[in-house]
């Protein structure tokens, strides 16, 4: 029998974790693993987790998580051993389940805050969460097939793989109506809301382009795609859509967080107010479909509430991203540059929307100067500067409705003038180092002296006109996940220049 | 070797299976979440929280200061100060004043009335469910009626919240169109949390009446230091508060006999706790656990880290729109937010202004005008540049910087309500007596007009007495009297005109009950 190796382990573990909230949480896990390697080139493995958490109630406490993997090092087969081109080649495939129980400890309990003071008394109770005792583990089934390779004596190496992630019973803080009574302007309850799938390619390639004498040039490229679809959402015609916060909609069959917006159609040349495309409200009432009639209507507050179209192809998550890294060394000099890119997503520039309509004492964009409607017939970029966005609307029959409100009722009731692609390519880091000749260092009684320059985020190419295409939205976790492309005023990625002097004694 | 290891593996798996059967003890928490009310003392926190929620989570969101804007702006007692003189304007208020709100939801109320009323209702429901789950006696060792007062207060707050919601968001009573989310119990699971039943004004009013009847039964007549916690002495509802509110609710429903009975109870059986012996200002200038002699229930705003005190950002600030001072009590010069001013129609009806816009001689005789209003001559406004006189209300923030208690139910309101109810029932002598009680307190002589004009005289007296307390619109609705135009062009509109806000879309979108 040829050589083979079996390894196995069983682990039972318990974990008591104290959370910063002062609560307590108990976690017990059992873990078994079996790896089998045959002739050093065929590998299979299996593992099994059985995990319980005190965060869930008794009937929903335990989760089973299985993982299987297989690999074949083809380059160790007799027909490829000593192949001059292929130094290493491995095909691999895996299936792995992981569980997520990272939810608030209040998820399964109705709780009260105690700071509601009334009169000169001690604190009163305030309802802060409603229990959902039926929440359980979120499980991700991850499938991955791919190959790792190394060619031409290590000059070229990389991996190619395709992944599918099925997230089942997603844990989510579902917005619930204000009438639920929770003392919060955006009350939520935890629930396993549905299933979602992510899938895509991951490719990584590293090359040594030149390695000759004192000069070396290395290159690395990575590229990944992601396609996302919500495959199930519990509840009939269920949607996650909180118009108070933003225009993002999540529903079954579409990608997570697409934009529901009115369609901007320019400025009325005679009235100086904004226009949007009309939606066929009768058809919507009858079928739920949102289709345009072909007419243009004023973008009044009431029209912005109803004439909203689903942009299911415009979502909040990037569909591709990656990086491109080059490094050069020549004698004592080294230079490296990291370029990263991302795209396929859309960003709504709330900061710009908030600073081009005249409705308060606040900073306005310079771009409106000279570009707003002033006289009948103007073909303007921005509407007339009417305080509080009130306009006299010219009806089709020539009559006029005076003083109509155009300020949107809710944050999420907006038109798409400020929706833009989030694609960008950016010089993430550029660094240059020079080691002084050893003789110079030694003459100063030092081992080494290195001069350096590093620049971060030096240069970005993007069509996005907001503060920066890499948006960071602080606040509630759920808003960060889905709402970070609803971009208000925020700190963009900082540009930085660092000069360094390293001395080693 | 290999077979040995695999055998080990399976044994271990078997052990794992056995051990895991007996795991539950491990997950027992040392400090498990428990119902917040383990003792009577802890249950005292429930009504405190319920009252607190009415002021919501911010100074602009107190239900009382927002809701009163509707009571004035729809009606005829106010006008909007001219923006050409530099006065600001709020667009929602402007729409309400123009009576052009049909089919729209008024954002001004979404954050204040809608949210806070449901905070109060949700909270009260939880505590009431707790009491009910224990058959009304959650702490038997404290005696069978130990929680009666607490239950009465919770029902009072819940009724008040639903009453405010129905007035702001429903057509005038009666109306059987389902409109408002209706929760009578706290949600206990996901589906209940996601979906609230939808009820009509009729359903809501019936529920409010039932709550108030029960509250009136359960609440004590007055604070008694020997049996009540000290906190109950400050801004808390008692039997007369429940009855006074019930009288107003019945009146709103057009149930005049029932309203009259409650008004009689409040006026005649209060044991001398409430009367009109003090001047009008005394209802409005109190801080600390103190009330004017006519104040049946005030909302405490003088203390606490959420309410009152110099660092208090939650003190109601919306009054600044229709009051001379803002919350810092700094007078006209300090308040750049004011824009809701006395209408000429009101001033003339009150007899405080001549048709040519000058102050009338009678104005000096009315203590209310003298104490609770400020007339600013043209070109003398310390902040703006009006070219005409304006008369501003001055009922709020009268005890100083962010610490004035807010009278919500006061005796003059109930006496004038009874005057109308008596006159409507043909008891003109009784009505005159009530009317004169309020007139005399304001320094005026008895009513000397005819019986034919009596009801109008009562309406007019109330116009003056309750001005800028958000009463006028609801009163005319309750009395089934058309709403006059005030200073607007055109004529009166029917009392049941569709002047109510749509339900906020953020509720409609998320509530499966819709």
């Amino acid at each position: 029998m040829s050589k083979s190796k079996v390894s196995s382990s069983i682990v039972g573990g318990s974990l008591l974790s104290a959370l910063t909230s002062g609560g307590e949480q108990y976690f017990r896990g059992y873990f078994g693993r079996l790896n089998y390697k045959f002739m050093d080139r065929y590998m299979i493995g299996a593992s099994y987790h059985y995990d319980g958490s005190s965060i869930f109630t008794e009937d929903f406490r335990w989760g089973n998580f299985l993982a299987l993997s297989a690999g074949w090092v083809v380059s160790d087969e007799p027909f490829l051993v000593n192949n001059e081109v292929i130094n290493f080649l491995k095909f691999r495939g895996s299936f792995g389940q992981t569980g997520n129980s990272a939810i608030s400890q209040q998820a399964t309990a109705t709780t009260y805050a105690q700071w509601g003071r009334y009169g000169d008394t001690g604190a009163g109770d305030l309802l802060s969460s409603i229990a959902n005792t039926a929440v359980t583990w979120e499980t991700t089934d991850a499938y991955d097939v791919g190959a790792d390779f190394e060619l031409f004596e290590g000059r070229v190496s990389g991996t190619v793989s395709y992944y599918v992630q099925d997230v089942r019973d997603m844990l989510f803080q579902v917005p619930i109506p204000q009438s639920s009574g929770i003392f919060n302007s955006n009350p939520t309850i935890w629930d396993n809301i549905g299933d979602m799938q992510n899938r895509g390619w991951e490719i990584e390639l590293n090359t040594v382009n030149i390695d000759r004498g004192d000069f070396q040039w290395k290159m690395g490229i990575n590229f990944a795609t992601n396609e996302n679809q919500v495959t199930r959402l519990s509840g009939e015609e269920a949607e996650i859509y909180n118009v108070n916060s933003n225009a993002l909609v999540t529903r079954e069959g579409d990608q997570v967080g697409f934009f529901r917006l009115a369609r901007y159609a320019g400025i009325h040349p005679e009235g100086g107010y904004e226009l949007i495309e009309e939606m066929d409200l009768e058809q919507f009432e009858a079928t739920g479909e949102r289709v345009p009639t072909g007419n243009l209507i004023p973008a009044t507050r009431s029209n912005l509430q109803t004439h909203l179209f689903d942009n299911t192809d415009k979502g909040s998550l990037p569909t591709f991203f990656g990086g491109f890294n080059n490094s050069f060394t020549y004698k004592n000099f080294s230079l490296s540059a990291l370029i990263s890119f991302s795209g396929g997503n859309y960003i709504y520039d709330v900061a710009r929307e908030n600073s081009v309509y005249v409705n308060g004492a606040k900073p306005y964009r310079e771009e409106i100067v000279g570009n707003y409607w002033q006289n009948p017939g103007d073909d303007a970029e921005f509407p007339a500067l009417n305080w509080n966005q009130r306009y006299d609307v010219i009806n089709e029959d020539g009559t006029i409705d005076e003083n109509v409100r155009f300020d949107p009722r809710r944050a999420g009731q907006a038109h798409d003038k400020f929706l833009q692609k989030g694609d960008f390519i950016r010089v993430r880091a550029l660094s240059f180092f020079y080691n002084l000749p050893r003789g110079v260092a030694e003459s100063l009684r030092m081992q080494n002296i290195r001069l350096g320059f590093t620049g971060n985020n030096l240069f970005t190419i993007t069509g996005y006109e907001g503060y920066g295409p890499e948006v960071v939205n602080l606040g509630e976790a759920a808003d960060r996940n889905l709402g970070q492309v609803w971009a208000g005023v925020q700190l963009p990625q900082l540009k930085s220049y660092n000069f360094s002097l390293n001395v080693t004694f | 070797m290999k077979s040995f290891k695999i055998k080990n593996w399976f044994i271990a798996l078997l052990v794992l299976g056995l051990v895991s059967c007996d795991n539950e003890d491990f997950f027992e928490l040392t400090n498990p979440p428990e119902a917040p009310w383990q003792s009577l003392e802890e249950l005292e926190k429930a009504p405190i929280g319920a009252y607190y929620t009415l002021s919501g989570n911010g100074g602009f969101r107190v239900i009382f200061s927002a809701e009163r804007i509707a009571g004035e702006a729809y009606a005829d007692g106010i006008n909007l100060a001219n923006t050409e003189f530099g006065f600001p304007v709020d667009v929602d208020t402007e729409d309400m004043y123009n009576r052009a709100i049909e089919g729209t939801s008024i954002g001004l109320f979404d954050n204040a009335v809608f949210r806070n009323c449901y905070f109060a209702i949700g909270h009260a429901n939880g505590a009431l469910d707790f009491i009910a789950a224990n058959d009304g006696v959650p702490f038997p060792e404290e005696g069978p009626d130990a929680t009666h007062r607490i239950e009465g207060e919770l029902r009072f707050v819940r009724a008040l919240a639903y009453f405010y919601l129905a007035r702001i968001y429903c057509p005038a009573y009666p109306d059987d169109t389902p409109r408002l989310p209706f929760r009578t119990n706290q949600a206990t699971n996901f589906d209940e949390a996601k979906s609230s039943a939808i009820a009509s004004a009729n359903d809501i009013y019936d529920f409010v009446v039932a709550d108030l009847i029960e509250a009136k039964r359960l609440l004590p007549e007055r604070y008694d230091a020997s049996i009540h916690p000290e906190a109950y002495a400050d801004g808390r509802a008692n039997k007369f508060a429940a009855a006074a509110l019930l009288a107003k609710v019945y009146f709103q429903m057009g149930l005049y006999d029932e309203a009259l009975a409650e008004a009689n109870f409040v006026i005649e059986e209060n044991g001398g706790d409430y009367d009109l012996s003090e001047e009008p200002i005394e209802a409005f200038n109190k801080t600390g656990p103190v009330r004017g002699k006519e104040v049946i229930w005030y909302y405490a705003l003088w203390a606490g880290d959420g309410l009152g005190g110099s660092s208090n950002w939650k003190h109601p600030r919306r009054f600044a729109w229709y009051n001379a001072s803002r919350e810092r009590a700094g007078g006209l010069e300090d308040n750049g937010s004011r824009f809701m001013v006395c209408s000429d129609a009101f001033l003339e009806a009150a007899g405080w202004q001549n048709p040519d816009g000058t102050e009338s001689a009678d104005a000096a005789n009315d203590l209310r005008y003298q104490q609770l209003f400020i007339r600013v001559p043209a070109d003398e406004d310390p902040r703006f540049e009006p070219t005409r006189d304006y008369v501003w209300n001055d009922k709020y923030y009268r005890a100083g910087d962010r610490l004035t208690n807010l009278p919500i139910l006061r005796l003059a309101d109930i006496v004038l309500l009874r005057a109308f109810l008596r006159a409507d029932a043909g008891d003109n002598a009784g009505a005159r007596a009530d009317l004169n009680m309020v007139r005399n307190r304001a320094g005026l002589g008895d009513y000397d007009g005819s019986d034919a004009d009596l009801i109008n005289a009562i309406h007019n007296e109330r116009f003056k007495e309750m001005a800028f307390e958000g009463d006028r619109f609801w009163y005319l609705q309750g009395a089934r009297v058309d709403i006059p135009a005030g200073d607007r062009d055109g004529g009166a509109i029917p009392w049941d005109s569709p002047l109510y806000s749509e339900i906020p879309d953020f509720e409609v979108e998320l509530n499966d009950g819709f």
Side-chain angles (χ1 to χ4, degrees), chain A residues 6 8-10 14 24 26-28 30 33 50 52-54 58 61-62 109-110 112 114-127 130-132 174-185 189 191 241 244 305 388 390 405 409-410 413, chain B residues 9 12 16 19-20 23-24 26-27 29-31 36-37 45-46 48-49 51-53 57 61 91-92 94-95 105-107 110 115 118-119 123 181 183 186-188 190 193-194 196 231 234-235 298-300 302 304-305 307 314 505-507 509-511:
Chain A
V6 174
S8 69
S9 58
I10 300 284
S14 301
E24 51 180 330
Y26 297 91
F27 185 88
R28 176 167 279 183
Y30 296 92
R33 186 173 59 194
Y50 183 65
S53 169
S54 62
E58 187 174 346
R61 189 173 322 284
W62 292 92
T110 294
Y112 289 80
Q114 298 195 315
W115 50 265
R117 292 189 70 152
Y118 176 70
D120 188 30
T121 58
D125 299 322
L126 299 168
L127 177 64
I130 291 175
N132 182 0
V174 183
I176 55 174
Q178 197 73 65
S179 60
S180 63
I182 294 177
F183 191 74
N184 188 316
S185 294
I189 188 170
D191 194 45
Y241 174 47
N244 252 343
Q305 282 181 297
N388 277 342
R390 284 183 181 259
R405 289 177 80 160
R409 183 82 201 78
R410 306 285 170 208
Q413 290 164 352
Chain B
W9 200 85
L16 182 156
V19 171
S20 63
N23 259 323
E24 272 312 307
F26 173 77
F27 294 103
L29 302 179
T30 317
N31 297 299
W37 310 298
K45 293 171 185 290
I48 292 171
Y51 289 108
Y52 172 82
T53 52
N57 44 9
R61 298 180 171 184
V91 278
D92 284 328
E94 200 177 19
D95 284 345
S105 104
I106 303 165
D110 294 352
R115 287 209 156 105
Y118 282 108
F119 291 158
H123 178 68
R183 282 192 177 269
Q186 196 175 79
T188 57
F190 178 80
K194 196 81 177 68
S196 310
D234 184 14
Y298 66 88
Y299 191 77
W302 66 277
D305 51 3
L307 304 160
K314 286 184 178 173
D505 45 8
F506 58 75
E507 172 73 20
E509 291 283 352
L510 294 176
N511 186 344

Side-chain angles (χ1 to χ4, degrees), chain B residues 25-341:
Chain B
D25 289 351
F26 173 77
F27 294 103
E28 258 178 39
L29 302 179
T30 317
N31 297 299
E34 56 187 8
W37 310 298
Q38 300 293 314
S39 65
L40 186 60
E41 197 181 335
E42 287 183 348
L43 192 61
E44 285 288 348
K45 293 171 185 290
I48 292 171
Y51 289 108
Y52 172 82
T53 52
L54 298 173
S55 69
N57 44 9
F60 292 112
R61 298 180 171 184
V62 180
I63 66 166
F64 305 109
S65 54
E67 187 261 3
R68 290 178 177 208
I69 293 170
E72 299 298 341
Y74 292 142
D76 54 337
I78 67 124
N79 201 338
L80 306 180
N82 196 333
T83 53
E84 288 175 16
F85 302 149
F87 291 99
V89 72
D90 165 67
V91 278
D92 284 328
T93 309
E94 200 177 19
D95 284 345
M96 281 189 274
Y97 183 78
N98 293 330
R99 298 173 172 172
I101 61 141
E102 193 169 356
T104 64
S105 104
I106 303 165
L108 178 61
F109 301 132
D110 294 352
N111 276 329
V113 179
F114 194 85
R115 287 209 156 105
N116 293 348
C117 285
Y118 282 108
F119 291 158
I121 290 163
H123 178 68
N125 282 341
L128 289 166
D129 288 349
F130 169 77
I131 294 170
N134 292 282
D135 297 325
V137 192
F139 310 111
E141 67 282 7
E142 304 278 358
D145 54 1
T147 58
H148 280 189
R149 174 185 49 79
I150 291 172
E151 181 181 345
E153 288 190 89
L154 292 165
R155 287 185 184 276
F156 174 83
V157 172
R158 183 168 71 176
L160 182 91
Y162 268 130
F163 183 44
Y164 275 49
L165 281 169
R167 294 202 302 191
I168 290 286
Y169 288 99
C170 291
Y173 184 92
D175 187 272
D176 61 1
T177 322
R179 281 184 65 79
L180 261 182
F182 186 45
R183 282 192 177 269
T184 57
N185 300 96
Q186 196 175 79
T188 57
N189 59 45
F190 178 80
D191 290 335
E192 286 177 18
K194 196 81 177 68
S195 177
S196 310
I198 310 302
S200 68
N202 293 358
D203 304 327
I204 302 280
Y205 274 88
D206 287 348
F207 187 72
V208 168
V209 165
D211 253 354
L212 287 174
I213 289 173
E214 195 62 3
K216 183 184 166 197
R217 183 181 72 81
L218 294 166
L219 286 166
E221 293 188 347
R222 59 190 58 81
Y223 168 69
D224 179 344
S226 67
I227 49 175
H228 298 133
E230 194 184 345
Y232 186 60
D234 184 14
R236 307 280 285 268
N238 60 21
K239 195 181 287 292
F240 298 107
L245 185 57
L246 184 54
K248 289 171 75 82
V249 172
Y250 277 139
F251 167 70
Q252 204 72 49
M253 298 169 79
L255 301 176
Y256 293 166
D257 292 344
E258 290 82 350
L260 182 58
E262 297 305 325
N264 283 335
F265 175 76
V266 173
I267 298 165
E268 291 165 10
E269 298 185 38
N270 72 55
D273 285 0
Y274 312 103
D275 61 39
L276 296 181
S277 58
E278 295 177 338
E279 293 194 345
I281 179 67
E282 298 302 323
F284 299 97
N285 61 1
K286 295 294 181 286
T287 185
V290 180
R291 62 175 177 85
K293 195 76 201 296
E294 67 156 317
V295 175
I296 301 164
W297 179 53
Y298 66 88
Y299 191 77
L301 291 167
W302 66 277
D305 51 3
L307 304 160
S310 58
S311 65
N312 181 10
W313 60 277
K314 286 184 178 173
H315 201 86
R317 297 173 69 182
R318 205 56 95 197
F319 293 129
W321 286 0
Y322 49 103
N323 194 61
S325 288
R326 65 184 180 112
E327 71 281 2
R328 290 177 181 270
L332 294 162
E333 195 162 6
D334 181 48
N335 184 11
S337 305
R338 60 196 151 89
F339 64 91
M340 293 169 72
V341 69

Side-chain angles (χ1 to χ4, degrees), chain A residues 118-151:
Chain A
Y118 176 70
D120 188 30
T121 58
D125 299 322
L126 299 168
L127 177 64
S128 52
S129 73
I130 291 175
N132 182 0
T133 53
V135 286
T136 190
W137 290 87
E138 169 186 300
T139 308
T140 300
D141 296 346
Y143 306 85
D144 190 281
V145 291
D148 305 331
F149 57 87
E150 205 178 293
L151 312 174

